[in-house]
Amino acid sequence: MKKILFMVAAMATLVSCGSHGEFYFDDVENRAYNNTEAEFDSLSYAYGVEMALPLYTQLKDFDCNHELFIELAQQYLATDAESFPDIETVNAEFAKFDKECMRPYMIAKQRRMFDHSADLELPAIYNEKYTRDMFTKWMSQMASYMIVSAAAPVNIHYVVEGIKGTKDIIGDQQENAMIRLDSATQARLQQHRSYIQNYYRNELPKYHMTRTEQWLKRVAQQPGVQPLAIGNDTVYYRINNPGGVKISAPTDSVSLDYEIYSYRGKLLQSSKTQLKSLEQRIIDTKANKELTDSARYAMIRQSEKIINDLKNHIAPVSTIRMEVIKHCLSLVGEYGSITVWAPTKFAPPSRDLMPNEGIVVDFEVKRIVPGSAAPVMPELPKKSTQTVKPSNAPEKTGVEPAQGGRVPMKIVPAKK
C-alpha cells in the first residue's frame, strides 16, 4: 500500500504560504511560462511525464479524466502562486477521499490478489460524494503545485507534451504496477527523472541561495530589525517585547513557545502544532473501532499525559539544539518575544525545507527558572499491539534536550 501511493504522497507534500506580514516572507515565484515556438525542453517534458505516470500505473483503476487533467494543469501552471488554490484545503479534501474510498479499494484489491480463493467484491471507488472529475481535479492541482512550489522554470507547452507522451512510454505495460515495468521502460523513465534530479540537486539550491540573500537584505531594511553576528555569519532580529528578567547562565531553564518557517512562509515546526497533532490523535483513537476499550483508554491517557508534559515542559538553556535560539535568548527576558531571520545553515532538519532556503524563527519566553535542573522529557507513545497504530505523531522540535552545547552569554552586534 505504501509503495502504491508513494508518488501521490510525494506530490501532496507541498509548500503552503503564510500570511504573516510582520515576518516579511518572500513571495513564492511561479517560473512556468508558455511558448509553443521554443525549442524542446527536457526538464519541462520530464515534469509532464512525472505528473502523468501514476495515473497510468498505480492509479490506473481510478480512471482519471486525462483530457480534464491536461486542461486543468495548463490552467494551474499559468496561475501565479498567490492565486493558486489553497493547497492545504486540497490536501485535506484528498485525504478524506483517500481514507473513505481509495484505501478500502486498494486494500481489497490486494487481498483478492494474494488470496485467490477469496471471492471478494471490490468496493466502489466513486459515489455521490466523490466523483471521477473531483479525483482528476485534485491530482492536477497537486501535480501542478509540485512544479510551482519548486519554482521550476518549465515551458507549459512541453509539460503538456510530456503528459501526453507518458502513455506511449509505458505502452502495453499500463496494467502493471511500477515495480513490474520492464527494464527498457524503466531506463526511459529514469532518463526523464534525471533531468528533474539534476534540477533539484544543482539548480534549485542556487536559486534559493540567491533568493535568500536578496530576502535577507530586504529584511535588514525593515523597521526595528537589527543585525547579529554568530561566528562568521549574520542573522537579523527584532525584539517584539523585551520582557522582564533575563537568563544569566547556561544552567538556567526556560519554557518557550515557538514557530519556525521557511523564508517563503512554510511552517516547519511549532510548539502549537505538536499539541494539535496529539489532540487529533486522541480524536482518532476515540473513533478507532478496531481498538479494545482498554487499549483505547490507555492510548488516550498516554496522549493526555504527553500534552500536559509539553504544556509544562521546561529545560536548561544548554540543551537547546538550535544555535540561533540559543544565541538570541539573552536578548529578551521572561514573557518577552523575538523574531529572527537567518540563512539556511541555522535551520532545523526538515523534509519541508528546500535546499538553501532561509528561515524565520519567532519565539516567546514563557518562563525562566534560574539554575534549574532539566526535567525529564515526556516519553513518546509506544507502538500499540493493535492492528492500527496511532497517527499524527508529534514532530521533532528545535528546542528538545540535546547532549552538550553551551550558550554564549555575550552578544556581539554585527556591523550594518
Side-chain angles (χ1 to χ4, degrees):
M1 183 65 182
K2 290 182 179 179
K3 291 181 179 180
I4 292 175
L5 297 178
F6 174 77
M7 190 61 67
V8 177
M11 292 197 304
T13 306
L14 304 167
V15 175
S16 173
C17 289
S19 59
H20 301 271
E22 71 274 15
F23 292 160
Y24 310 124
F25 293 137
D26 197 15
D27 294 330
V28 178
E29 183 183 21
N30 182 4
R31 296 201 286 170
Y33 62 95
N34 193 31
N35 185 353
T36 59
E37 303 300 324
E39 294 183 2
F40 179 78
D41 182 66
S42 299
L43 178 64
S44 303
Y45 193 90
Y47 263 117
V49 172
E50 197 71 10
M51 291 171 71
L53 189 58
L55 306 178
Y56 286 107
T57 52
Q58 301 103 315
L59 303 176
K60 185 177 183 300
D61 288 358
F62 294 85
D63 190 27
C64 173
N65 184 336
H66 294 280
E67 292 183 0
L68 178 60
F69 181 87
I70 292 173
E71 178 185 337
L72 291 173
Q74 289 175 303
Q75 174 186 325
Y76 295 134
L77 289 175
T79 301
D80 64 89
E82 292 296 324
S83 303
F84 201 93
D86 180 57
I87 203 65
E88 291 185 2
T89 301
V90 174
N91 288 340
E93 291 174 347
F94 184 82
K96 292 179 182 178
F97 168 70
D98 178 32
K99 180 179 180 181
E100 297 176 27
C101 299
M102 220 170 162
R103 292 185 186 182
Y105 175 85
M106 300 300 282
I107 291 173
K109 184 178 180 179
Q110 284 186 332
R111 287 176 178 172
R112 190 168 72 172
M113 183 186 304
F114 291 107
D115 187 359
H116 300 288
S117 62
D119 185 16
L120 183 63
E121 182 179 354
L122 298 178
I125 297 175
Y126 302 118
N127 50 41
E128 293 181 357
K129 184 177 179 181
Y130 300 109
T131 66
R132 174 183 178 230
D133 283 355
M134 290 174 66
F135 169 77
T136 301
K137 184 177 181 180
W138 289 327
M139 295 302 296
S140 186
Q141 287 171 330
M142 291 189 291
S144 299
Y145 209 71
M146 172 180 63
I147 295 176
V148 174
S149 66
V154 299
N155 187 339
I156 299 173
H157 172 70
Y158 286 112
V159 171
V160 171
E161 291 300 307
I163 294 173
K164 294 178 179 178
T166 305
K167 185 176 180 180
D168 294 331
I169 293 175
I170 300 173
D172 58 4
Q173 301 178 74
Q174 294 177 49
E175 296 293 338
N176 298 334
M178 286 288 291
I179 193 67
R180 297 171 60 190
L181 295 175
D182 65 34
S183 58
T185 303
Q186 292 278 23
R188 293 179 68 188
L189 292 174
Q190 184 55 42
Q191 177 62 41
H192 289 298
R193 283 177 174 162
S194 67
Y195 296 112
I196 299 177
Q197 291 168 353
N198 178 68
Y199 173 70
Y200 274 92
R201 291 173 182 172
N202 300 310
E203 300 305 318
L204 188 58
K206 295 176 184 177
Y207 169 81
H208 281 306
M209 178 174 289
T210 300
R211 293 278 294 196
T212 293
E213 290 174 353
Q214 296 171 347
W215 167 72
L216 285 172
K217 289 179 181 179
R218 292 194 299 271
V219 169
Q221 303 304 315
Q222 301 304 319
V225 174
Q226 300 294 323
L228 174 66
I230 302 180
N232 295 324
D233 299 286
T234 300
V235 304
Y236 298 90
Y237 70 92
R238 181 189 62 217
I239 297 176
N240 305 313
N241 181 355
V245 62
K246 297 181 179 180
I247 58 171
S248 58
T251 53
D252 289 351
S253 290
V254 295
S255 175
L256 305 176
D257 267 345
Y258 69 95
E259 294 175 332
I260 305 172
Y261 297 88
S262 76
Y263 81 112
R264 298 189 300 166
K266 171 66 179 178
L267 180 62
L268 305 175
Q269 292 183 8
S270 167
S271 51
K272 293 180 181 178
T273 54
Q274 294 182 78
L275 295 175
K276 283 183 64 177
S277 64
L278 286 163
E279 290 165 354
Q280 183 61 47
R281 175 188 292 168
I282 292 176
I283 294 174
D284 293 342
T285 301
K286 289 179 178 179
N288 191 341
K289 297 179 180 180
E290 297 189 34
L291 294 173
T292 63
D293 289 342
S294 59
R296 181 180 297 104
Y297 176 78
M299 291 171 64
I300 291 174
R301 287 295 300 272
Q302 192 174 41
S303 295
E304 290 174 341
K305 181 180 184 303
I306 296 174
I307 289 175
N308 182 69
D309 290 343
L310 286 173
K311 287 181 176 180
N312 297 286
H313 176 61
I314 187 167
V317 172
S318 61
T319 66
I320 294 176
R321 290 179 176 179
M322 285 192 67
E323 289 297 316
V324 71
I325 292 182
K326 288 166 66 174
H327 276 78
C328 294
L329 257 177
S330 60
L331 294 172
V332 292
E334 195 171 35
Y335 310 118
S337 63
I338 185 173
T339 303
V340 185
W341 296 266
T344 192
K345 71 171 294 181
F346 295 102
S350 174
R351 66 180 183 180
D352 291 330
L353 192 68
M354 293 192 179
N356 290 336
E357 281 196 283
I359 60 169
V360 181
V361 182
D362 186 74
F363 68 91
E364 176 185 358
V365 181
K366 293 165 46 180
R367 186 183 174 197
I368 294 178
V369 179
S372 175
V376 178
M377 277 292 290
E379 182 181 357
L380 295 179
K382 297 179 180 179
K383 290 185 178 180
S384 169
T385 56
Q386 300 293 322
T387 56
V388 179
K389 63 181 180 180
S391 60
N392 300 319
E395 57 190 283
K396 294 183 179 179
T397 75
V399 293
E400 295 173 354
Q403 296 298 322
R406 298 177 61 188
V407 57
M409 303 310 299
K410 293 183 179 180
I411 303 300
V412 181
K415 295 182 179 179
K416 287 190 174 181

